[in-house]
Short mmCIF file of all heavy atoms in Angstrom, two decimals:
data_model
loop_
_atom_site.label_atom_id
_atom_site.label_comp_id
_atom_site.label_asym_id
_atom_site.label_seq_id
_atom_site.Cartn_x
_atom_site.Cartn_y
_atom_site.Cartn_z
N ALA A 648 30.67 9.03 9.27
CA ALA A 648 29.72 9.71 10.14
C ALA A 648 29.22 10.99 9.48
O ALA A 648 29.93 11.61 8.68
CB ALA A 648 30.37 10.03 11.48
N GLU A 649 28.01 11.38 9.81
CA GLU A 649 27.38 12.50 9.12
C GLU A 649 28.20 13.79 9.16
O GLU A 649 28.34 14.45 8.13
CB GLU A 649 25.97 12.72 9.67
CG GLU A 649 25.03 11.59 9.30
CD GLU A 649 23.61 11.84 9.79
OE1 GLU A 649 23.40 12.88 10.44
OE2 GLU A 649 22.74 11.01 9.51
N ARG A 660 25.27 19.66 7.55
CA ARG A 660 24.73 18.36 7.90
C ARG A 660 23.24 18.27 7.57
O ARG A 660 22.75 17.22 7.15
CB ARG A 660 24.94 18.11 9.41
CG ARG A 660 24.96 16.64 9.74
CD ARG A 660 25.21 16.41 11.21
NE ARG A 660 24.39 15.30 11.68
CZ ARG A 660 23.92 15.20 12.90
NH1 ARG A 660 24.16 16.15 13.79
NH2 ARG A 660 23.19 14.17 13.24
N ARG A 664 21.60 15.33 5.30
CA ARG A 664 20.56 14.44 5.80
C ARG A 664 19.33 14.47 4.90
O ARG A 664 18.71 13.44 4.65
CB ARG A 664 20.19 14.82 7.23
CG ARG A 664 21.21 14.36 8.26
CD ARG A 664 20.83 14.82 9.66
NE ARG A 664 19.53 14.31 10.05
CZ ARG A 664 19.30 13.07 10.45
NH1 ARG A 664 20.30 12.22 10.51
NH2 ARG A 664 18.09 12.69 10.77
N GLN A 680 20.46 4.85 14.89
CA GLN A 680 20.92 5.83 15.88
C GLN A 680 21.94 5.20 16.82
O GLN A 680 21.75 4.09 17.29
CB GLN A 680 19.72 6.35 16.68
CG GLN A 680 20.11 7.48 17.62
CD GLN A 680 18.90 8.12 18.26
OE1 GLN A 680 17.78 7.68 18.07
NE2 GLN A 680 19.13 9.17 19.03
N GLY A 681 23.00 5.91 17.06
CA GLY A 681 24.02 5.42 17.96
C GLY A 681 24.96 4.42 17.35
O GLY A 681 25.90 3.98 18.00
N ARG A 817 10.69 9.59 10.96
CA ARG A 817 9.31 10.09 10.88
C ARG A 817 9.19 10.87 9.59
O ARG A 817 10.13 11.54 9.16
CB ARG A 817 9.02 11.00 12.07
CG ARG A 817 9.65 12.34 11.88
CD ARG A 817 9.28 13.33 12.92
NE ARG A 817 10.01 14.55 12.61
CZ ARG A 817 10.61 15.30 13.49
NH1 ARG A 817 10.56 14.98 14.75
NH2 ARG A 817 11.25 16.40 13.12
P DG J 802 35.73 9.44 20.23
OP1 DG J 802 36.96 9.03 19.52
OP2 DG J 802 35.52 10.84 20.65
"O5'" DG J 802 34.49 9.01 19.33
"C5'" DG J 802 34.33 7.62 19.02
"C4'" DG J 802 32.95 7.43 18.42
"O4'" DG J 802 31.96 7.52 19.46
"C3'" DG J 802 32.58 8.49 17.38
"O3'" DG J 802 32.02 7.85 16.25
"C2'" DG J 802 31.54 9.33 18.09
"C1'" DG J 802 30.88 8.28 18.97
N9 DG J 802 30.12 8.86 20.08
C8 DG J 802 30.47 9.91 20.88
N7 DG J 802 29.58 10.21 21.78
C5 DG J 802 28.56 9.29 21.55
C6 DG J 802 27.31 9.11 22.19
O6 DG J 802 26.85 9.75 23.14
N1 DG J 802 26.59 8.06 21.64
C2 DG J 802 27.01 7.29 20.60
N2 DG J 802 26.19 6.32 20.19
N3 DG J 802 28.17 7.43 19.98
C4 DG J 802 28.89 8.46 20.51
P DT J 803 31.71 8.66 14.93
OP1 DT J 803 32.54 8.02 13.90
OP2 DT J 803 31.81 10.12 15.20
"O5'" DT J 803 30.19 8.36 14.62
"C5'" DT J 803 29.73 7.00 14.46
"C4'" DT J 803 28.25 6.96 14.78
"O4'" DT J 803 28.08 7.41 16.14
"C3'" DT J 803 27.41 7.94 13.98
"O3'" DT J 803 26.99 7.37 12.77
"C2'" DT J 803 26.22 8.17 14.90
"C1'" DT J 803 26.75 7.85 16.28
N1 DT J 803 26.73 8.99 17.24
C2 DT J 803 25.65 9.13 18.06
O2 DT J 803 24.70 8.39 18.02
N3 DT J 803 25.72 10.19 18.92
C4 DT J 803 26.74 11.11 19.05
O4 DT J 803 26.70 12.01 19.86
C5 DT J 803 27.85 10.91 18.14
C7 DT J 803 29.01 11.85 18.20
C6 DT J 803 27.80 9.87 17.30
P DG J 804 26.37 8.37 11.68
OP1 DG J 804 26.40 7.67 10.38
OP2 DG J 804 27.00 9.69 11.83
"O5'" DG J 804 24.85 8.50 12.15
"C5'" DG J 804 23.99 7.38 12.07
"C4'" DG J 804 22.74 7.63 12.91
"O4'" DG J 804 23.13 8.29 14.13
"C3'" DG J 804 21.69 8.53 12.26
"O3'" DG J 804 20.41 8.10 12.71
"C2'" DG J 804 22.04 9.89 12.84
"C1'" DG J 804 22.40 9.49 14.27
N9 DG J 804 23.25 10.46 14.94
C8 DG J 804 24.50 10.87 14.59
N7 DG J 804 25.00 11.76 15.40
C5 DG J 804 24.02 11.95 16.34
C6 DG J 804 23.98 12.80 17.47
O6 DG J 804 24.85 13.58 17.87
N1 DG J 804 22.77 12.69 18.18
C2 DG J 804 21.74 11.85 17.82
N2 DG J 804 20.65 11.88 18.60
N3 DG J 804 21.76 11.05 16.76
C4 DG J 804 22.92 11.15 16.08
P DG J 805 19.08 8.93 12.35
OP1 DG J 805 17.97 7.95 12.24
OP2 DG J 805 19.42 9.80 11.21
"O5'" DG J 805 18.80 9.83 13.64
"C5'" DG J 805 18.03 9.29 14.71
"C4'" DG J 805 17.30 10.41 15.45
"O4'" DG J 805 18.26 11.27 16.08
"C3'" DG J 805 16.47 11.31 14.53
"O3'" DG J 805 15.25 11.61 15.18
"C2'" DG J 805 17.34 12.53 14.35
"C1'" DG J 805 18.03 12.60 15.70
N9 DG J 805 19.32 13.28 15.64
C8 DG J 805 20.31 13.08 14.71
N7 DG J 805 21.36 13.83 14.90
C5 DG J 805 21.04 14.58 16.03
C6 DG J 805 21.79 15.57 16.71
O6 DG J 805 22.91 16.00 16.45
N1 DG J 805 21.09 16.09 17.81
C2 DG J 805 19.84 15.69 18.19
N2 DG J 805 19.32 16.29 19.26
N3 DG J 805 19.13 14.76 17.55
C4 DG J 805 19.79 14.25 16.48
P DT J 806 14.22 12.64 14.54
OP1 DT J 806 12.89 12.26 15.02
OP2 DT J 806 14.51 12.77 13.09
"O5'" DT J 806 14.61 14.01 15.24
"C5'" DT J 806 14.33 14.17 16.61
"C4'" DT J 806 14.75 15.54 17.06
"O4'" DT J 806 16.13 15.76 16.71
"C3'" DT J 806 13.99 16.70 16.40
"O3'" DT J 806 13.24 17.32 17.43
"C2'" DT J 806 15.07 17.61 15.81
"C1'" DT J 806 16.33 17.14 16.54
N1 DT J 806 17.60 17.31 15.83
C2 DT J 806 18.53 18.17 16.33
O2 DT J 806 18.35 18.82 17.33
N3 DT J 806 19.70 18.26 15.62
C4 DT J 806 20.02 17.56 14.47
O4 DT J 806 21.09 17.72 13.91
C5 DT J 806 19.00 16.67 13.99
C7 DT J 806 19.24 15.86 12.75
C6 DT J 806 17.85 16.58 14.68
P DC J 807 12.18 18.41 17.02
OP1 DC J 807 11.18 18.43 18.10
OP2 DC J 807 11.78 18.18 15.63
"O5'" DC J 807 13.03 19.75 17.10
"C5'" DC J 807 13.58 20.15 18.35
"C4'" DC J 807 14.51 21.31 18.13
"O4'" DC J 807 15.67 20.87 17.39
"C3'" DC J 807 13.94 22.47 17.30
"O3'" DC J 807 13.54 23.51 18.20
"C2'" DC J 807 15.09 22.90 16.39
"C1'" DC J 807 16.26 22.02 16.86
N1 DC J 807 17.20 21.63 15.77
C2 DC J 807 18.47 22.19 15.73
O2 DC J 807 18.79 23.01 16.60
N3 DC J 807 19.31 21.83 14.74
C4 DC J 807 18.93 20.95 13.81
N4 DC J 807 19.80 20.63 12.86
C5 DC J 807 17.63 20.37 13.83
C6 DC J 807 16.79 20.73 14.81
P DA J 814 18.26 32.91 -7.55
OP1 DA J 814 18.95 32.14 -8.60
OP2 DA J 814 18.19 34.38 -7.60
"O5'" DA J 814 16.76 32.37 -7.44
"C5'" DA J 814 16.52 30.97 -7.33
"C4'" DA J 814 15.03 30.70 -7.37
"O4'" DA J 814 14.41 31.29 -6.21
"C3'" DA J 814 14.32 31.27 -8.58
"O3'" DA J 814 13.32 30.35 -8.96
"C2'" DA J 814 13.75 32.58 -8.05
"C1'" DA J 814 13.44 32.24 -6.60
N9 DA J 814 13.53 33.36 -5.67
C8 DA J 814 14.50 34.31 -5.62
N7 DA J 814 14.32 35.19 -4.66
C5 DA J 814 13.16 34.77 -4.03
C6 DA J 814 12.43 35.27 -2.94
N6 DA J 814 12.81 36.35 -2.26
N1 DA J 814 11.32 34.61 -2.58
C2 DA J 814 10.96 33.52 -3.28
N3 DA J 814 11.56 32.95 -4.31
C4 DA J 814 12.66 33.63 -4.65
#
Side-chain angles (χ1 to χ4, degrees):
Chain A
E649 291 183 358
R660 204 179 142 211
R664 283 177 58 77
Q680 186 172 5
R817 77 173 178 223

